[in-house]
Amino acid sequence: MNRVVAVAMSGGIDSLVAAWLLKRYAKQVIALHFTTGFETDKDTPDAVAGLAFRLNIPFHPVDLSSAFRKQVVDPFVRTYLSGETPNPCMACNTAIKFGALLTAARELGAEALATGHYARVRPDARHHCHLHKGADAAKDQSYFLGFLNQKILSAAVFPLGDMTKTEVRHLAAQEGLHPTHRQESQDICFVRNQTCAAFVATRANVAHGPGPILTLDGERIGTHPGIHGFTVGQRRGLNCPSSEPYYVVRIHPGENTLVVGRKTDLYADRVRVHRLNWLVARPDVPLRVTTRLRYRHQGATATVHLTDTDVATVRFDHPQKAPAPGQGAVFYQGDKVVGAGVITA
RNA sequence: UGGGGCGUCGUCAAGCGGUAAGACACAGGAUUUUGGUUCCUGCAUUCGGAGGUUCGAAUCCUCCCGCCCCAG
């Protein structure tokens, strides 16, 4: 690879190993570390700078707090308040990492941006770039990249795509690569030590208070503390004792109401999606795909029927449990990501 | 206060003289580069209260308290 490549370094083991690997085949490597304004550990930039120094690559901190707040955090709060369930990691990948950060990388002279994602980019005969699952099935993160496009992918590099997590750990140990002691994985990075609901509540302009919990028959069986603390398919927190557990089936923000049902009420044979994104040519006929409805969903065979420019109905071969509005539905054909949309109902 | 019934964990509920099941809820943990799901663990030294019978009572007896139903 004869390109100048910037690498997004968080301080974690994955991006550290990615940077190390990149040094072996890129023309030149530049380390970038972006901050969101929600960091717990304010020393991280310096620590990451230290890692870059040891790798002997130039380091640039990038403050993306404004963009992060506007494009990730605020939409996250808004989505919860509207009764849907956001996926901030997907928003971050498109708007921040392969958005603002990629722009910053280019301004520094880089032609591509590398990250520690477990995913692969492969060009076809016409040099169009395609997104594929990472080699490590247990770690594959292509789902989170479903809203990227071919143009962006042509500037994306995933050095860990062919590796397993175990291999990454071994390599790090072997080469003496020590990440800044941060935990392997947290929950949502900006929520930190509070619950999601608490985070949303403190950042919400309009407070959502308690409201009724109704069964599918319309019977009121309880009171919820605020719809932003719930998502379709959720069981915990309802506080409605019964012979068997209740799950959230629907959320009505207008009425500030939660509708609950039994586990069997969670299954849907189709789902509607909007904000469609295609990583291949937009199909003009119903498309057979395997759809992931959430990260770590094994995928369900389905047919995508386009109903409008960026709207479609996804019909599953077999009913799927608890598709949640706001979550991404990512379409695969084999290992290749062909498209994605946001679940609406 | 005539007659009948019932009071066991936050909720529902087993138990019927042999030393308190279970489900739901809740809490904590595990898993997880989103939320949710899932999994694991914990959760009544005590059975409305007070006495009594018994080697032994939530289980039998007495009284009291509370609730429900039928009569009035």
Side-chain angles (χ1 to χ4, degrees):
Chain A
M1 181 192 294
N2 200 29
R3 291 195 285 184
V4 177
V5 183
V7 56
M9 289 183 69
S10 66
I13 186 170
D14 290 333
S15 57
L16 175 57
V17 171
W20 185 89
L21 287 167
L22 216 47
K23 271 189 65 180
R24 305 203 307 182
Y25 55 77
K27 179 178 172 186
Q28 188 193 330
V29 181
I30 303 169
L32 300 182
H33 174 74
F34 73 92
T35 45
T36 63
F38 289 86
E39 286 76 12
T40 317
D41 183 359
K42 298 298 180 192
D43 298 330
T44 299
D46 289 341
V48 177
L51 294 179
F53 180 79
R54 257 164 278 156
L55 288 174
N56 195 27
I57 54 180
F59 174 83
H60 297 274
V62 184
D63 176 13
L64 296 181
S65 56
S66 174
F68 191 79
R69 182 167 39 74
K70 286 179 195 153
Q71 310 209 63
V72 177
V73 179
D74 289 349
F76 170 85
V77 172
R78 261 186 269 122
T79 302
Y80 259 123
L81 292 176
S82 72
E84 299 195 350
T85 309
N87 187 324
C89 295
M90 283 180 140
C92 179
N93 281 329
T94 52
I96 303 301
K97 289 176 188 164
F98 288 100
L101 190 65
L102 175 58
T103 300
R106 283 175 168 147
E107 284 168 2
L108 289 165
E111 298 156 85
L113 176 66
T115 66
H117 283 104
Y118 288 83
R120 291 183 272 201
V121 177
R122 288 178 179 156
D124 61 18
R126 297 178 195 163
H127 303 292
H128 289 154
C129 289
H130 297 281
L131 178 63
H132 289 255
K133 290 180 182 175
D136 187 340
K139 276 286 169 184
D140 169 48
Q141 292 167 327
S142 59
Y143 172 86
F144 289 117
L145 302 166
F147 288 95
L148 262 37
N149 57 44
Q150 286 188 340
K151 191 176 178 198
I152 295 294
L153 285 173
S154 68
V157 180
F158 303 128
L160 306 186
D162 291 316
M163 299 179 71
T164 64
K165 184 75 182 192
T166 306
E167 289 170 340
V168 169
R169 288 209 187 90
H170 284 341
L171 182 59
Q174 183 185 312
E175 298 299 329
L177 303 171
H178 303 293
T180 63
H181 38 270
R182 292 169 65 196
Q183 290 187 345
E184 178 59 26
S185 71
Q186 297 100 339
D187 300 318
I188 297 173
C189 73
F190 52 86
V191 170
R192 289 185 264 171
N193 296 322
Q194 52 188 332
T195 64
C196 250
F199 180 86
V200 171
T202 58
R203 296 188 67 85
N205 297 320
V206 189
H208 268 62
I213 297 176
L214 268 38
T215 65
L216 286 164
D217 297 327
E219 182 193 355
R220 180 169 183 163
I221 60 167
T223 302
H224 68 256
I227 60 166
H228 55 275
F230 297 87
T231 181
V232 168
Q234 184 169 333
R235 166 181 175 171
R236 313 209 84 143
L238 290 169
N239 217 313
C240 292
S242 175
S243 58
E244 48 182 312
Y246 281 112
Y247 296 85
V248 175
V249 173
R250 279 192 285 278
I251 299 172
H252 293 140
E255 296 78 49
N256 193 27
T257 295
L258 244 37
V259 178
V260 300
R262 301 308 190 178
K263 184 176 276 187
T264 52
D265 298 318
L266 255 26
Y267 287 83
D269 64 355
R270 73 185 65 180
V271 85
R272 283 174 61 74
V273 298
H274 69 319
R275 293 187 218 160
L276 275 176
N277 175 60
W278 295 104
L279 291 93
V280 296
R282 183 177 185 277
D284 45 18
V285 292
L287 192 68
R288 288 293 295 168
V289 298
T290 295
T291 301
R292 276 193 189 168
L293 298 169
R294 57 179 66 81
Y295 181 59
R296 227 156 269 291
H297 180 210
Q298 74 287 359
T301 51
T303 305
V304 180
H305 300 267
L306 277 83
T307 53
D308 205 337
T309 318
D310 74 335
V311 182
T313 297
V314 182
R315 294 177 197 274
F316 306 120
D317 295 351
H318 305 288
Q320 295 300 304
K321 189 177 168 188
Q327 291 284 287
V330 177
F331 313 134
Y332 291 78
Q333 285 183 332
D335 277 352
K336 182 162 71 175
V337 179
V338 296
V342 176
I343 299 169
T344 53

